[in-house]
Amino acid sequence: RRNDVKEKREPLIRAAVPYSFPDRPKGVLTNAWTFVSLKFTPGRMEIVKRLKKTQHTCDLMKKTPGAWATKSLNIISAKLLGAKFQSNTIYDFMSRHSMVFTNVPGPIAPVRIFGSEMKELVFGVGNLVNQVSVVSYAGSVGLSLVVDEEEVKEAHLIGDFFQLELNNLKDAAAEIEAKAAEEKAKAAEELKADRDRIVGGLEAITSALVSENKAQKNEISDAEREAALARDKARSTYHTGPRTAAFAW
């Protein structure tokens, strides 16, 4: 808990996060970036809720013009106010933050150096405040913490807390996947039941139509049979009866 946070408020973590711009300088081995200030509220809450809050904060960083405004101010101040002003500004900026957090995407597949495969990748950066550095490599993540032991007591616990949080995230992800699989299976069963009801209804309708058609054919057959008998009877009357009957027929 920082000194500028009132006792009744939630603990505050404010991180300085590098923001990289897509328009990198050409012909120079460097990149274009600036620091943005992100406020996180840890406290006691469900881990998924905390993850969503963190994602929302990071999404705002990408969607709002704060980083571009900071970049413009840095360029103007460097030209007009000089290096000393910049140094003081950086010191004041860092002193208001709990840490600098930076993450770098590394190779997605193992790489070899002088013929040997690199097992893991970790880097450390010294800074005015606590520094957290994360790098991905071949499906794993390396994390380093650089702190001032005189200012941060029991600094080794930070790594333990990070590991605990990652384990909880892993368990939450497994729980969400299991729930999604259960809902998917339930939806498949409901879909099958609906399909069976529809198929059953169609079969019942088809059977009724077939029966009705058969009955109609039977009625037609009976009518045809009666008509045939009538014709046969008429022919018989024509051949055996009196001549006048033939004209009547």
Side-chain angles (χ1 to χ4, degrees):
R1 185 187 296 272
R2 295 180 58 85
N3 294 330
D4 56 352
V5 178
K6 294 182 180 180
E7 189 67 26
K8 293 183 180 180
R9 294 181 181 178
E10 292 292 331
L12 173 66
I13 292 181
R14 185 181 294 276
V17 180
Y19 180 95
S20 180
F21 297 97
D23 54 339
R24 297 185 177 184
K26 297 181 179 179
V28 182
L29 188 60
T30 184
N31 55 10
W33 64 277
T34 189
F35 276 120
V36 293
S37 180
L38 299 183
K39 183 177 68 174
F40 301 103
T41 304
R44 292 184 176 273
M45 66 182 71
E46 294 181 359
I47 192 166
V48 175
K49 183 178 180 181
R50 178 161 54 248
L51 180 62
K52 290 181 177 180
K53 282 180 172 289
T54 303
Q55 181 181 8
H56 177 69
T57 301
C58 294
D59 288 343
L60 286 178
M61 173 187 68
K62 300 174 183 178
K63 296 176 181 178
T64 54
W68 295 89
T70 302
K71 177 185 177 182
S72 300
L73 290 174
N74 289 337
I75 295 174
I76 295 173
S77 63
K79 293 181 179 180
L80 298 180
L81 304 176
K84 184 176 181 180
F85 177 83
Q86 268 195 313
S87 297
N88 292 335
T89 301
I90 293 174
Y91 181 83
D92 292 339
F93 176 82
M94 289 295 184
S95 65
R96 295 179 178 273
H97 289 78
S98 307
M99 70 177 73
V100 174
F101 186 94
T102 180
N103 64 297
V104 180
I108 60 176
V111 298
R112 304 183 72 86
I113 299 179
F114 301 111
S116 299
E117 182 179 312
M118 186 166 61
K119 300 300 182 182
E120 60 182 11
L121 179 60
V122 179
F123 72 97
V125 180
N127 219 318
L128 296 176
V129 293
N130 304 322
Q131 173 75 39
V132 181
S133 304
V134 182
V135 60
S136 62
Y137 172 67
S140 62
V141 174
L143 185 146
S144 68
L145 306 171
V146 179
V147 300
D148 185 348
E149 293 182 348
E150 294 182 359
E151 295 292 334
V152 182
K153 306 301 181 182
E154 299 181 327
H156 63 281
L157 294 177
I158 299 177
D160 295 338
F161 294 149
F162 263 102
Q163 184 63 57
L164 178 61
E165 189 78 355
L166 292 175
N167 291 340
N168 291 336
L169 282 172
K170 184 178 179 180
D171 293 340
E175 183 178 348
I176 292 174
E177 290 178 356
K179 184 177 180 181
E182 182 180 351
E183 291 178 352
K184 184 178 180 180
K186 183 179 179 181
E189 291 179 359
E190 292 177 352
L191 181 62
K192 183 178 182 300
D194 292 340
R195 184 185 60 187
D196 292 342
R197 283 193 293 270
I198 293 173
V199 171
L202 291 175
E203 290 178 349
I205 294 173
T206 302
S207 177
L209 291 174
V210 170
S211 299
E212 183 178 355
N213 189 28
K214 186 176 180 180
Q216 291 176 353
K217 287 183 177 179
N218 291 335
E219 291 178 0
I220 294 173
S221 298
D222 293 340
E224 290 177 346
R225 189 179 302 108
E226 292 177 0
L229 291 173
R231 286 194 297 270
D232 292 343
K233 185 177 180 180
R235 291 192 187 98
S236 176
T237 303
Y238 172 77
H239 291 296
T240 59
R243 186 175 296 274
T244 55
F247 290 105
W249 178 82

